[in-house]
Amino acid sequence: MTDARVVKGERLLGVVADPLRFAVLRLLARERELPAGAMADRFAVSASRLANHLAVLRDAGLVASRRSGRVVVYRLTAPERTAAFVRALDALAGEEEHDPGPTAFARARLCYDHLAGELGVLLYRRLVAARALVPGDGPEAPLTPGPALAAELERLGVTPPDLGRRHLAVGCLDSTAGTPHLGGALGAAILRSLSERGLLRPGPHERVLTEAPDAEALLAGR
């Protein structure tokens, strides 16, 4: 009779044999928890395709999920054992050990024509806290100009944008942070200005941005 443990092991190997599913395990071993949307962005796949693979991993007991507002966040069910398994397979394949720190993708990246990631969220929070923008109802609602908008734009070195048919500013739910970053015409104008001044530059991977040493302080108003 075949040992039940052997059968279970064969099933698990079949689950992780798919490159995308293994990449999800590797990423979660490094990041601990991530929204599904962030992983879809990271791997440049559709949300529906990733959802199918996440369902397979969840059915195999390798990942668990929880809802945080409108975002579904995933984590490993056995982080230490799974991380050791990932490292062992990477070592057998001759892969270098992965950096355990935050990914550049989560730090700063393009979202259409505006800034996303930690720095995009930082910008949004600064403009709201400084009363340059007043949030609407909900994280993705348009924001209206506040009394300090002109002063904040001058501090940032940004010319007020032409709106055309766009809102001045909207909240855009960040797929890695789970909270809004700044979209709309103003978000695009700020990113364009920062890029022209070399404060943000294209990074080593698609959509990733590399920040200059003083970019964070400028966005945070320090």
Side-chain angles (χ1 to χ4, degrees):
M1 180 180 295
T2 303
D3 192 313
R5 290 174 298 180
V6 174
V7 173
K8 183 178 180 180
E10 289 177 347
R11 288 175 179 170
L12 287 176
L13 287 175
V15 168
V16 302
D18 181 271
L20 180 56
R21 290 198 286 267
F22 186 73
V24 168
L25 294 179
R26 179 191 283 136
L27 184 61
L28 290 177
R30 186 173 72 228
E31 301 293 342
R32 303 302 181 188
E33 278 194 331
L34 279 176
M39 291 188 282
D41 283 347
R42 179 69 177 83
F43 299 126
V45 299
S46 67
S48 59
R49 180 185 172 194
L50 182 66
N52 292 333
H53 286 285
L54 288 171
V56 173
L57 291 171
R58 188 171 54 241
D59 291 344
L62 293 170
V63 302
S65 62
R66 65 178 179 85
R67 183 166 290 279
S68 176
R70 297 175 57 187
V71 176
V72 179
V73 179
Y74 284 82
R75 61 174 176 82
L76 298 176
T77 54
E80 293 183 3
R81 283 185 293 171
T82 304
F85 173 71
V86 168
R87 288 195 298 270
L89 286 186
D90 279 340
L92 286 172
E95 296 282 347
E96 295 182 359
E97 185 175 353
H98 293 270
D99 180 6
T103 63
F105 184 84
R107 176 63 175 170
R109 66 183 181 276
L110 290 174
C111 179
Y112 301 104
D113 59 355
H114 56 267
L115 176 62
E118 293 174 2
L119 292 186
V121 172
L122 181 65
L123 171 64
Y124 179 99
R125 290 176 175 171
R126 164 62 194 186
L127 294 179
V128 169
R131 301 182 64 206
L133 293 172
V134 179
D137 296 328
E140 296 182 288
L143 296 90
T144 55
L149 179 59
E152 279 296 293
L153 292 184
E154 182 178 359
R155 183 186 65 79
L156 290 166
V158 175
T159 303
D162 294 327
L163 299 184
R165 296 184 177 182
R166 302 183 71 175
H167 288 292
L168 171 67
V170 295
C172 184
L173 194 62
D174 195 89
S175 60
T176 51
T179 56
H181 59 246
L182 184 66
L186 182 58
I190 292 174
L191 176 59
R192 185 166 56 250
S193 174
L194 295 175
S195 299
E196 289 171 352
R197 290 145 57 192
L199 294 169
L200 291 172
R201 303 182 303 278
H205 306 292
E206 185 179 5
R207 294 177 56 201
V208 170
L209 298 170
T210 300
E211 63 191 279
D214 51 349
E216 179 178 357
L218 177 66
L219 294 174
R222 296 197 294 266

